[in-house]
Amino acid sequence: MEVVMNAEGLVEVVLPGTVEPEGLQVRSGGAVPSPGPGQVVIKMEATGVSFAEQQMRRGRYYDQPPFPFVPGYDLVGTVAATGEGVAPATAGTRVAALVKVGGWASHVVVDAADVVEVPDGVGAAEAETLVINGITAWQMLHRKARVRAGQTVVVYGANGGVGSVLVQLAHAAGAKVIGTASTRHHAALREQGVTPVDYRAGDVAARIRELAPGGVDAVFDHVGGRGIVDSWRLLAPGGTLVSYGSASTRDDRGSKQWPVLKLLGRVWLWNALPNRRRAYFYNAWAGRSLAKNRFRARLRHDLTQVFAAFQRGDITARIAAQLPLTRVAEAVRLAESGTVAGKVVLTP
């Protein structure tokens, strides 16, 4: 891994192309950016490795920018500088931001309207585990599936970053949870009240049907691929499928858009049929280009709800590991290993 060290200044991780984790470049010594009108500079305290970055380094994320670029889907930090038109009192506050790219850096410029204040008493690493994972879980559960008490839901990857938050929010809503995971995570899932299913042991859908012969009220599927049809067939009348990724195609070759387009096509077709079930392809960025103010208000509301749920004890911050930005290759390897529960967090 290339590490370029100069004078004090900006530190950032650059993804130069489709490389192994050791091919990520840590660069130091650049000028710390200045905020423009309506912007703030966040001094990063925690960012993390999401599934998006695992796809990006393979060139497989469906709308990633051209190489080279700085990855990093979200971050938490302190406002270090404010631009024209931003209240000076904002400086010094701890905030969270969803950025899609750019978060793996010591200082990040963000529109002030896009930051959400982190409540007092919530640590930076804790908050980081709840930004994209928490927003995704909250919006899928409450805005898409609208899960209610007494319902039964299936969470694929119940030990993962999004899955672990989904499990806890579903329980807080009064739902029963069936969760898929490898056997090493089953004991921990049972302690949380989840009925675990080994996703490596043959026909997962058949095992879930044994547990819920009448069908389930919601399925949250990040795997995609051919298995999405099984997820749809698991639904009871009135049930909702929320697809939010195509993990099964992470290591594929060819078009990165095609797996997503196929999923969207299936969703459109299923919703056109008179079958009393619904399907969604969840995208955290949906609506941003058409209605930016509404998107920002919804994001602020939902992340505030996630932080409140954390403060109530409804959800916990699952930190799989904390590593400094300079050890990003190790962090990516760990996140991709499938051996950890929760999120791998990067610190300055």
Side-chain angles (χ1 to χ4, degrees), residues 37-319:
Q39 294 181 324
V40 296
V41 174
I42 301 173
K43 186 175 183 184
M44 185 271 287
E45 295 174 47
T47 180
V49 185
S50 305
F51 186 70
E53 288 93 26
Q54 298 174 37
Q55 290 180 303
M56 285 178 190
R57 78 165 186 84
R58 294 166 168 84
R60 300 288 303 165
Y61 189 76
Y62 66 98
D63 65 347
Q64 69 188 68
F67 298 116
F69 64 92
V70 176
Y73 214 88
D74 58 6
L75 73 150
V76 171
T78 301
V79 175
T82 58
E84 183 186 338
V86 180
T90 309
T93 58
R94 176 175 281 164
V95 296
L98 197 62
V99 291
K100 192 182 289 188
V101 294
W104 289 1
S106 60
H107 299 80
V108 182
V109 176
V110 180
D111 285 350
D114 286 327
V115 304
V116 179
E117 192 165 343
V118 176
D120 290 341
V122 180
E126 293 172 324
E128 162 56 26
T129 69
L130 301 172
V131 184
I132 183 56
N133 292 345
I135 289 164
T136 299
W138 181 274
Q139 292 185 343
M140 292 195 302
L141 193 82
H142 293 295
R143 291 191 181 272
K144 297 299 184 188
R146 301 185 179 182
V147 168
R148 301 183 305 278
Q151 293 187 327
T152 298
V153 305
V154 174
V155 176
Y156 285 98
N159 64 292
V162 174
S164 59
V165 182
L166 254 175
V167 163
Q168 295 174 88
L169 287 175
H171 277 148
K176 299 173 186 170
V177 181
I178 299 168
T180 73
S182 59
T183 51
R184 70 164 68 94
H185 299 294
H186 285 195
L189 288 172
R190 284 193 188 94
E191 284 178 21
Q192 296 173 62
V194 176
T195 303
V197 173
D198 182 5
Y199 71 87
R200 291 174 175 160
D203 193 337
V204 172
R207 176 76 183 110
I208 294 171
R209 276 191 208 95
E210 289 173 13
L211 296 167
V216 298
D217 299 290
V219 178
F220 300 96
D221 185 326
H222 71 299
V223 181
R226 285 172 295 190
I228 200 74
V229 177
D230 288 331
S231 294
W232 174 251
R233 290 173 178 161
L234 288 171
L235 294 175
T240 304
L241 166 64
V242 187
S243 169
Y244 66 105
S246 53
S248 64
T249 65
R250 184 187 73 176
D251 297 315
D252 287 2
R253 303 287 179 200
S255 167
K256 60 178 176 279
Q257 282 86 17
W258 181 236
V260 174
L261 293 173
K262 272 205 293 193
L263 278 171
L264 289 169
R266 286 192 195 278
V267 165
W268 180 87
L269 178 63
W270 284 331
N271 287 332
L273 298 172
N275 52 45
R276 296 178 57 209
R277 293 174 288 180
R278 293 167 298 161
Y280 295 99
F281 182 77
Y282 173 81
N283 172 13
W285 299 95
R288 190 176 197 277
S289 56
L290 296 174
K292 189 176 278 189
N293 288 339
R294 192 189 312 163
F295 173 87
R296 285 166 162 165
R298 188 175 63 211
L299 189 77
R300 185 173 293 107
H301 172 274
D302 294 350
L303 186 52
T304 300
Q305 292 292 324
V306 170
F307 287 147
F310 173 74
Q311 289 181 299
R312 285 194 303 271
D314 288 348
I315 56 177
T316 55
R318 298 285 169 85
I319 302 170

